[in-house]
Amino acid sequence: MKISTRFSDSIHILAFINIYKGKVPLTSNTLASSIETSPVVVRRLMSALSKAGLINTKHGVAEPELAADPNDISLYDIFLAIEGDAPLFTIDERTNPECIVGGNIQETLNEFYNQAETAAKAKLAATSLEDVIETIKVKHAQKKAAQRKKD
Amino acid sequence: MKISTRFSDSIHILAFINIYKGKVPLTSNTLASSIETSPVVVRRLMSALSKAGLINTKHGVAEPELAADPNDISLYDIFLAIEGDAPLFTIDERTNPECIVGGNIQETLNEFYNQAETAAKAKLAATSLEDVIETIKVKHAQKKAAQRKKD
DNA sequence: ACAACATGTAACTAAATAAATTACAATTTG
DNA sequence: CAAATTGTAATTTATTTAGTTACATGTTGT
């Protein structure tokens, strides 16, 4: 199955908390404005991030904080928090067991799909939230510079 | 979005054609029985596989055949035929461009997601239909042997 | 104490996607 | 030309995801 925007929105939330901490109030409303979704969606994602131990939140207080250094949070940690063990590819589970193919395709594809998934997840595990935040900052600086030039 | 069962069903079709060619009539009905879906679903997938040049079919004739040696058809070829350039991960495209994060998250995640996707697709590209067929046959043989033992 | 503001969640609705079905025109073959 | 089959469009159904409404619970400052 395709991985939903929940994953990208969660990365968004964590990056936002890190970049804007102390500069703007970190309410679910503020975050929702940046993501352009509803505050409830944000709170739902933050609840999952909190349960996974990636952020610390306090009921009633708009001061969420990262539970670890951005260098120590990988995209795969975030993926796990939000999608758990959701597979990237879907295997058709309902095939005819009487058939040589239908009776063995699941186990077979499971092996090969796992190889592909593990390769992708390894890349996610090798990318830290810090990498994402730095890239965001670089791209932002580039845009600002380009804008100045035009004036 | 999740990658649908279309991908696994397509691999199923190709493996079935190779394994059962000459042994059973390869109608969309026969294939549908093995996959436990409807003949129309099978024909739709075969239409895509045919357009991608992976199989040859003739209108009105139940004799589809692989257009290449199973060693020369990779799982990524099949993926491309069915899913095209569909991404494994979805990026939320509608975020606030005024925000440092919202304005740069897409480009940023696009980079990192691409790395992960490319790693997964490389594994698919490194796996041939022949690998899948052989694994299916081995698993089938194992099951048959285990069954004999019981008797 | 209480008003204003938040979070945390449950329950529901709406939208998007995929699978299955229905229907039928076009093609092949004996 | 009849029977069997493919190819494809159009529709329905099922599933999943995003968004909304509602509200109980917690916090803070006065």
Side-chain angles (χ1 to χ4, degrees), chain A residues 1-5 7-9 11-12 15-16 19-20 33-36 75 79 87-92 94-105 107-109 111-113 115-117 119-120 123-124 127 131-132 135-137 139-140 143, chain B residues 1-5 7-9 11-12 15-16 19-20 33-36 75 79 87-92 94-105 107-109 111-113 115-117 119-120 123-124 127 131-132 135-137 139-140 143:
Chain A
M1 67 172 139
K2 197 168 172 179
I3 295 305
S4 71
T5 57
F7 181 35
S8 80
D9 288 343
I11 300 170
H12 190 141
F16 192 98
I19 291 176
Y20 283 104
S33 297
S34 174
I35 302 179
E36 289 190 356
L75 294 194
F79 184 90
L88 264 40
F89 303 99
T90 309
I91 293 175
D92 191 341
R94 193 170 136 270
T95 61
N96 188 345
E98 302 301 309
C99 167
I100 297 179
V101 180
N104 297 283
I105 188 91
E107 289 177 49
T108 300
L109 288 187
E111 280 182 27
F112 295 117
Y113 280 5
Q115 288 178 19
E117 291 199 4
K123 282 288 180 187
L124 294 183
T127 307
D131 294 333
V132 172
T135 306
I136 288 172
K137 285 179 178 170
K139 290 191 185 296
H140 175 64
K143 281 180 189 164
Chain B
M1 64 172 136
K2 198 167 172 177
I3 294 303
S4 71
T5 57
F7 181 36
S8 81
D9 289 343
I11 299 170
H12 191 140
F16 192 99
I19 290 176
Y20 283 104
S33 297
S34 174
I35 301 179
E36 289 192 356
L75 293 194
F79 183 91
L88 264 40
F89 302 99
T90 309
I91 293 174
D92 190 342
R94 194 170 135 272
T95 61
N96 188 344
E98 302 301 310
C99 166
I100 297 178
V101 181
N104 298 283
I105 188 91
E107 288 176 50
T108 300
L109 288 187
E111 279 181 27
F112 295 117
Y113 280 6
Q115 288 179 19
E117 291 199 3
K123 283 287 179 186
L124 293 182
T127 307
D131 294 332
V132 173
T135 305
I136 287 173
K137 285 178 177 169
K139 288 191 187 295
H140 175 64
K143 280 180 191 166

Side-chain angles (χ1 to χ4, degrees), chain B residues 24-146:
Chain B
V24 298
L26 297 174
T27 67
S28 57
N29 241 301
T30 310
L31 282 156
S33 297
S34 174
I35 301 179
E36 289 192 356
T37 182
S38 88
V40 178
V41 169
V42 170
R43 294 205 289 272
R44 227 173 358 218
L45 293 173
M46 289 180 75
S47 173
L49 294 171
S50 174
K51 276 170 189 157
L54 298 183
I55 61 175
N56 295 317
T57 61
K58 242 189 290 182
H59 196 162
V61 185
E63 282 164 12
E65 53 184 18
L66 299 188
D69 188 283
N71 276 302
D72 296 330
I73 297 176
S74 78
L75 293 194
Y76 186 50
D77 292 329
I78 304 170
F79 183 91
L80 278 173
I82 300 300
E83 301 287 344
D85 55 3
L88 264 40
F89 302 99
T90 309
I91 293 174
D92 190 342
E93 299 294 347
R94 194 170 135 272
T95 61
N96 188 344
E98 302 301 310
C99 166
I100 297 178
V101 181
N104 298 283
I105 188 91
Q106 284 92 357
E107 288 176 50
T108 300
L109 288 187
N110 199 41
E111 279 181 27
F112 295 117
Y113 280 6
N114 271 345
Q115 288 179 19
E117 291 199 3
T118 299
K121 287 173 178 171
K123 283 287 179 186
L124 293 182
T127 307
S128 71
L129 180 59
E130 179 67 24
D131 294 332
V132 173
I133 291 168
E134 276 172 12
T135 305
I136 287 173
K137 285 178 177 169
V138 166
K139 288 191 187 295
H140 175 64
Q142 287 172 345
K143 280 180 191 166
K144 253 177 64 180

Side-chain angles (χ1 to χ4, degrees), chain A residues 52-150:
Chain A
L54 298 183
I55 61 174
N56 295 317
T57 61
K58 243 191 290 180
H59 196 161
V61 185
E63 282 164 11
E65 53 183 18
L66 300 187
D69 189 284
N71 277 302
D72 296 330
I73 297 176
S74 78
L75 294 194
Y76 186 50
D77 293 329
I78 304 169
F79 184 90
L80 279 174
I82 300 301
E83 301 287 345
D85 55 3
L88 264 40
F89 303 99
T90 309
I91 293 175
D92 191 341
E93 299 295 345
R94 193 170 136 270
T95 61
N96 188 345
E98 302 301 309
C99 167
I100 297 179
V101 180
N104 297 283
I105 188 91
Q106 285 92 355
E107 289 177 49
T108 300
L109 288 187
N110 200 41
E111 280 182 27
F112 295 117
Y113 280 5
N114 271 345
Q115 288 178 19
E117 291 199 4
T118 300
K121 288 173 178 173
K123 282 288 180 187
L124 294 183
T127 307
S128 71
L129 179 59
E130 179 66 25
D131 294 333
V132 172
I133 291 167
E134 275 171 12
T135 306
I136 288 172
K137 285 179 178 170
V138 167
K139 290 191 185 296
H140 175 64
Q142 287 172 345
K143 281 180 189 164
K144 253 177 66 179
Q147 243 179 349
R148 276 198 213 95
K149 237 181 187 169
K150 280 179 197 163

